[in-house]
Amino acid sequence: MSVTRSGVLPDTSAPGGAYDVTVVGAGVVGCAIARELARHSLRVALVEARGDIGEGSSKANTAILHTGFDAVPGSLEGRLVREGGQLLASYAEETGIPVEPVGALLVAWDQDQLASLPRLADKAVRNGHHDTRPLSAAELYAREPHLGPGALGALDVPGESIVCPWSTPLAYVTQAVRSGVDLYLNCPVEKVRPGGPGAPHRLVTRRGVLRTRFLVNACGLYADAFDALLGRTDFTVTPRRGQLIVFDKFARSLVRHILLPVPGPLGKGVLVAPTVYGNVLLGPTAEDLADKTATGSTAEGLAGLRAQGGRIMPELLDEEVTAVYAGLRAATGAEDYRIAAHPDLRYVTVGGIRSTGLTASLALGRHTVGLLADAGLELGPERPLTPVRMPNLGEAFPRPYRDPGLIARDPAYGTIVCHCERVTLGEIRDALGSTVPPASLAGLRRRTRARAGRCQGFSCGATVRALFEEGVR
């Protein structure tokens, strides 16, 4: 196993030297696929264009663990979200990824939306969820007393949860690497030269040539572009930008559930939701763009969010804003994932994975490995994965600065570096020395929450940067 960010790739040209499978794209889906492949005695590579895992859509989402109640009945997405939600809930408990089952309320603000709730409840039943129920306006306001005036009712959706979107792919890739997967970062694939019968594919990257017998496209926003390298033009990815506002922790007491709108044609719409870090989210927007790098926030988008937030929960706008961010979702014009196996190419495309990809990730891993087996990959017997335990980033669970026993054993866990988020020297040291360490201050933030608080690093930024650049002993 290895993790590299620079240098020439190892020589895979010798007979038998090719990888059995290479997964291109180390977002939450690619990491989940690599982890599932690591269950078998295969030589597996995970290749990522950027310097860290989870740098694309995976790092900027609403961090909801969905039940799949509103998926298209009978769709592949609906099945994988349902299976994946159960798998991820169990995996999170096993590995320490914070999850809070807060439940969701689908709020109706006009008569048309109210009239659609029975249809959505029936849709939930067809998706295997029998515990949704309608709430009157009185019941809704008893549940959410800070909701804005004018709501007519809601659909109660128990089981919807919030989850840490940063720890999840990191847990997958850590387990994959510890179980034998090679991770190559800063390694964009520029060309693919498909292999003929019995010959491996050749991936031409900026770090050299990598040979592989089977290939998986988990490139997210660039899944269509990677498909084109193998002569496939099955779909086009349109980046759909979602801007979000993050409110300070003082706003957390205003919100008890995930507050969902009635879905529209561009997605699930603008929601208000707590986060496992103790903040409150407002968003996202849904803007179809042409630029797959347009992750900047706009004054127009944020103003629109505040206008909608003022209707959903007026008191929220009185709270301080900690941050704003934007993520891009891979829209393809279809209401389902765009997953396809091409046995003649020994190639699987895992595309069109929208906002439900985090929830469905483990099921997507299983499904993809099954497609590879159907395409001729001999998996062999399963073997146990190396166990992992992730550092807790959630406010509802014990944090190191509050653990006197841990601090007594190692005083670094009692030395707070980032006071806004209560991040300790011990946590930063552990992240820098981890199996897949951060490549940037942003990566360190996703592993520890350092610099993610109300001051956005104004107070601790210099110290955190020095620790990152010099290392912690």
Side-chain angles (χ1 to χ4, degrees), residues 112-125 132 134 155:
D112 288 342
Q113 292 180 0
L114 187 66
S116 72
L117 295 185
R119 174 180 54 81
L120 290 167
D122 177 67
K123 190 178 187 181
V125 169
T132 61
L155 187 68

Side-chain angles (χ1 to χ4, degrees), residues 8-240:
V8 178
L9 295 179
D11 184 7
T12 54
S13 62
Y19 281 96
D20 294 308
V21 187
T22 295
V23 181
V24 181
V28 68
V29 174
C31 291
I33 295 168
R35 173 188 174 275
E36 189 66 25
L37 286 165
R39 294 182 181 277
H40 305 274
S41 296
L42 299 168
R43 191 166 180 228
V44 178
L46 178 58
V47 174
E48 168 57 41
R50 304 193 192 190
D52 203 353
I53 64 102
E55 283 277 12
S57 297
S58 298
K59 72 178 181 182
N61 55 55
T62 52
I64 294 174
L65 183 55
H66 297 281
T67 60
F69 79 97
D70 57 349
V72 176
S75 65
L76 178 61
E77 180 181 21
R79 176 171 69 83
L80 296 181
V81 169
R82 184 167 60 252
E83 294 175 4
Q86 297 168 353
L87 291 170
L88 182 49
S90 298
Y91 184 74
E93 185 174 359
E94 170 192 328
T95 58
I97 297 170
V99 171
E100 292 184 52
V102 295
L105 299 174
L106 197 68
V107 181
W109 294 95
D110 58 40
Q111 289 295 337
D112 288 342
Q113 292 180 0
L114 187 66
S116 72
L117 295 185
R119 174 180 54 81
L120 290 167
D122 177 67
K123 190 178 187 181
V125 169
R126 285 184 287 148
N127 280 315
H129 299 279
H130 300 272
D131 52 359
T132 61
R133 70 179 188 90
L135 300 178
S136 67
E139 291 175 302
L140 171 60
Y141 281 99
R143 293 274 201 97
E144 288 288 350
H146 299 283
L147 200 66
L152 303 180
L155 187 68
D156 181 20
V157 188
E160 295 274 304
S161 303
I162 52 176
V163 63
C164 177
W166 301 335
S167 299
T168 303
L170 186 61
Y172 296 163
V173 77
T174 299
Q175 198 163 34
V177 168
R178 291 182 183 176
S179 300
V181 171
D182 292 328
L183 173 61
Y184 299 113
L185 299 163
N186 289 322
C187 193
V189 178
E190 299 176 329
K191 295 180 183 178
V192 178
R193 294 171 180 154
H201 304 304
R202 297 177 66 210
L203 276 64
V204 180
T205 81
R206 291 184 190 171
R207 294 178 54 188
V209 176
L210 185 148
R211 291 166 176 82
T212 185
R213 294 172 52 234
F214 288 79
L215 185 59
V216 176
N217 171 359
C219 295
L221 291 168
Y222 297 91
D224 56 344
F226 193 87
D227 254 10
L229 296 180
L230 286 101
R232 306 295 311 187
T233 56
D234 300 330
F235 60 90
T236 298
V237 173
T238 298
R240 181 169 293 164

